[in-house]
């Protein structure tokens, strides 16, 4: 395990920034607090059905600073890459995408999770973010398998994953405690150099 972490660090001396013409993925910074607070506050009712229950101090600056520190620790230990998603032209915060539960050794896999500010939802931003994150996972991170889990009635998330080339694998019973209740989740995966069922390479 230690060797794997050191290999990860040697490949990733600096926190990554993934960019396209319209989007930017990078690790959170302290100066992002105002934008983060605003978009999370305004999107609370939109996000809460799909997330763990928010703590009473969820939106405080102190809690955010602790989050940034924890994110940096997780990245430098090789456990996660917690990105925020911005519009590239003006660095307006749109949402977030986390590459988490990175497992080395025989697994070489990770679990992704994501959220989107309500005012930006349904505009293709998270699909674009996945088009940046997936090559990074299979390229610089050298992972073999990406997993994602979503609540079965989260139709938008299911469509996003299927459009991004993920395949449904099965049901995880009472997998995560979401909004105060243990909820079943559908497990999706994308494999490096995977073939679709018709034999063509998946995008």
């Amino acid at each position: 395990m230690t060797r794997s972490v050191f290999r990860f660090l040697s490949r990733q001396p600096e926190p990554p920034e993934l960019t396209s013409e319209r989007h930017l993925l990078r690790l959170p910074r302290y100066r992002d607090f105002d934008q983060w607070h605003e978009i999370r506050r305004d999107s609370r009712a939109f996000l809460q059905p799909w997330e763990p229950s928010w703590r009473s101090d969820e939106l405080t600056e102190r809690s955010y600073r602790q989050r940034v520190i924890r994110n940096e620790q997780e990245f430098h230990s090789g456990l996660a890459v917690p990105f925020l998603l911005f519009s590239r032209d003006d660095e307006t915060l749109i949402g977030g995408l986390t590459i988490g539960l990175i497992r080395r050794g025989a697994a070489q896999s990770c679990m992704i999770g994501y959220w989107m500010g309500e005012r930006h939802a349904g505009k293709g931003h998270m699909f674009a973010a996945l088009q940046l994150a997936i090559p990074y996972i299979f390229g610089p991170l050298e992972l073999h398998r990406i997993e994602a889990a979503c609540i079965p009635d989260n139709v938008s998330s299911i469509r996003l994953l299927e459009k991004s080339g993920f395949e449904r694998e099965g049901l995880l019973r009472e997998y995560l405690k979401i909004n105060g209740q243990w909820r079943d989740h559908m497990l999706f995966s994308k494999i490096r150099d995977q073939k679709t069922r018709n034999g063509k390479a998946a995008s």
Side-chain angles (χ1 to χ4, degrees):
M1 182 66 179
T2 303
R3 172 187 285 182
S4 296
V5 170
F6 285 145
R7 288 182 62 230
F8 176 85
L9 289 172
S10 67
R11 291 196 303 273
Q12 298 289 351
E14 298 293 336
E17 292 193 0
L18 310 182
T19 61
S20 66
E21 184 177 346
R22 296 181 56 205
H23 298 94
L24 163 68
L25 285 170
R26 64 163 172 77
L27 268 60
R29 300 170 183 169
Y30 293 136
R31 64 179 174 85
D32 298 321
F33 171 72
D34 288 342
Q35 282 204 82
W36 179 88
H37 177 272
E38 179 183 0
I39 194 172
R40 296 286 294 180
R41 179 198 64 203
D42 294 350
S43 303
R44 181 166 188 162
F46 175 72
L47 295 172
Q48 191 60 84
W50 319 112
E51 296 188 350
S53 297
W54 291 18
R55 303 185 310 272
S56 59
D57 67 343
E58 184 78 20
L59 296 178
T60 64
E61 186 169 3
R62 179 175 181 272
S63 177
Y64 176 78
R65 291 180 67 86
Q66 291 173 341
R67 182 188 301 267
V68 171
I69 293 170
R70 183 172 65 252
N71 289 166
E72 291 177 348
Q73 291 172 341
E74 289 173 344
F75 171 74
H76 287 295
S77 67
L79 299 176
V81 187
F83 287 118
L84 289 180
L85 173 63
F86 299 86
S87 293
R88 188 177 179 185
D89 56 352
D90 57 4
E91 283 204 43
T92 296
L93 179 60
I94 299 174
L97 186 155
T98 296
I99 303 166
L101 296 178
I102 295 175
R103 302 182 292 281
R104 296 291 177 178
Q108 296 295 324
S109 64
C110 69
M111 175 73 75
I112 60 167
Y114 41 81
W115 62 271
M116 178 64 59
E118 183 174 13
R119 72 181 75 118
H120 305 293
K123 300 178 180 179
H125 296 301
M126 192 53 66
F127 177 75
L130 284 171
Q131 304 320 295
L132 290 172
I134 291 169
Y136 172 70
I137 293 169
F138 289 147
L141 291 188
E142 298 182 10
L143 296 179
H144 173 72
R145 172 183 170 91
I146 309 171
E147 297 177 355
C150 66
I151 295 172
D153 54 3
N154 191 343
V155 177
S156 296
S157 188
I158 290 173
R159 287 175 178 169
L160 170 67
L161 292 170
E162 291 179 339
K163 183 179 179 181
S164 301
F166 285 75
E167 294 193 18
R168 190 177 309 196
E169 292 195 344
L171 182 70
L172 302 171
R173 296 191 303 146
E174 297 190 10
Y175 180 61
L176 296 173
K177 194 171 187 179
I178 300 297
N179 200 21
Q181 296 182 342
W182 288 103
R183 300 293 305 273
D184 295 346
H185 283 66
M186 293 299 304
L187 177 64
F188 290 79
S189 71
K190 187 175 178 68
I191 309 299
R192 183 176 184 174
D193 300 324
Q194 74 183 28
K195 303 293 183 179
T196 60
R197 288 186 174 86
N198 64 11
K200 295 179 180 179
S203 58

